[in-house]
Amino acid sequence: MPRLDAGLVRSAVRRRVRRHRRRGGILMYHRVVDADFDPWGICVSPKMFDEQMQVLAQCRGTVDAVSFSGGDVFGRSDARVAVTFDDGYLDNVVAALPILERHEIPATIFVIGNAVGRTREFWWDALERAILAPAVLPGELEIVLGADRHRFTIGDSSAREAADGRWRADADAVTTDRQRLFVALWNAIVVLDPDQQDQAVDELRTWSGQPGSVQRIMVDDKEFDALVQHPLITVGSHTLDHLSLTDLSPRRQREQIHGGHRRIEELAGRPVTCFSFPFGRFDDSAVAAARELGVDIACTSVPEAATVTDDRHTLPRLQALDIDGDAFARWLRDDHRLLRA
């Protein structure tokens, strides 16, 4: 008889136990925009976002994310749902906010401290544009990333074909040199310091023949203030530079978490009561630093519904995808038991 894997058994038991606890859902969004490429599934089109918010409005069960600090939002047949956004993209104001207003849906936006007023795109957006957007890539790449020199060969026919806009780096197999290059560069750049990240993607854009500038995509001081003053919006912090916390020392983790929080509080002119971990990456020292902020909740990207017994400083979130209202309702109801049948 085959032996049972103890880890798999524990995971199955944990899922079964969680499924029967009082629950609620914290949805995670990033951008509301039509995108040609979306390798991490962080873009939802305005049309689909509108349909999703209509579903939530009809259920009359949305709450502010900070409400998850208490126990009243958790239920069995009447679970509550919160909408959150990470990073502070301009389209949160231009595209998402009018839809939230129309359906009277509250939302929490976790903003990167050094991103307010930033006039250049983030490295992950620039990498996507450099590697996935070009119709043709050069056959070789040699680049220094941090202290290491990397050499890549793009030899298969994928280098001469447009990238597949449907490919998801976090869900689909890597089958082409272009996809392999994208994943390798992402993993190498994510651990660099901010200046090194920007330098790396500048070099990659030049190598692949992509323009060096794009339209500003982050909120500025005026737009940030409009979010702070809006009755439907709660602003939270999201570190200073959106670095991978698990690749930092505890001291640098604390600098990023506390520095970003102070910056957002200074810009907001009021206390900030919530925080989210960049890339969903956290460890014990990062959680300890988040607790020191005195915030009511801290959110991760663990893809589960939240339950009443969850640690309020490592709350899971469900990443919403670019799907229509019917599929969104089935996903919440059937996969996560967050909507009544």
Side-chain angles (χ1 to χ4, degrees), residues 93-291:
V93 177
V94 175
L97 187 54
I99 296 171
L100 294 169
E101 290 173 334
R102 181 160 60 251
H103 298 293
E104 299 182 344
I105 302 291
T108 299
I109 302 180
F110 297 104
V111 182
I112 304 164
N114 279 340
V116 179
R118 180 180 170 95
T119 56
R120 60 177 295 158
E121 63 196 329
F122 287 127
W123 70 262
W124 55 85
D125 293 317
L127 177 65
E128 176 185 316
R129 193 158 59 89
I131 305 304
L132 301 181
V136 176
L137 286 178
E140 294 184 352
L141 168 65
E142 186 169 334
I143 185 172
V144 175
L145 301 174
D148 300 321
R149 181 176 297 276
H150 298 258
R151 181 178 288 105
F152 302 93
T153 300
I154 305 93
D156 66 19
S157 61
S158 64
R160 300 294 181 261
E161 299 173 356
D164 183 357
R166 299 167 300 176
W167 175 69
R168 285 281 304 276
D170 58 342
D172 299 331
V174 173
T175 60
T176 70
D177 284 350
R178 189 190 292 255
Q179 294 169 356
R180 201 167 291 111
L181 175 64
F182 175 84
V183 172
L185 289 171
W186 198 98
N187 287 329
I189 295 173
V190 71
V191 298
L192 301 179
D193 288 332
D195 290 344
Q196 294 175 319
Q197 291 173 336
D198 288 341
Q199 180 180 351
V201 293
D202 284 346
E203 186 172 344
L204 288 169
R205 279 197 303 250
T206 300
W207 169 78
S208 65
Q210 290 299 293
S213 61
V214 296
Q215 185 178 3
R216 179 178 60 85
I217 59 174
M218 305 306 299
V219 295
D220 60 17
D221 290 349
K222 182 178 179 180
E223 291 147 352
F224 178 86
D225 187 60
L227 291 174
V228 170
Q229 302 302 325
H230 200 286
L232 286 174
I233 302 299
T234 298
V235 171
S237 64
H238 197 41
T239 73
L240 195 59
D241 295 300
H242 204 284
L243 299 182
S244 173
L245 292 174
T246 52
D247 291 293
L248 302 180
S249 67
R251 178 183 63 81
R252 289 199 66 199
Q253 288 178 344
R254 193 175 187 278
E255 290 173 352
Q256 280 290 315
I257 292 170
H258 286 246
H261 197 74
R262 285 195 302 269
R263 174 64 173 155
I264 297 303
E265 287 193 324
E266 290 169 359
L267 289 170
R270 65 180 66 170
V272 170
T273 60
C274 50
F275 167 81
S276 73
F277 295 96
F279 304 114
R281 296 181 176 185
F282 63 96
D283 55 20
D284 289 345
S285 55
V287 173
R291 290 188 198 281

Side-chain angles (χ1 to χ4, degrees), residues 15-32:
R15 287 194 299 271
R16 181 178 293 274
V17 170
R18 285 183 64 85
R19 189 168 179 83
H20 290 88
R21 288 176 178 157
R22 289 192 292 127
R23 60 185 42 229
I26 305 178
L27 303 180
M28 179 176 64
Y29 294 87
H30 290 78
R31 305 199 63 187
V32 176

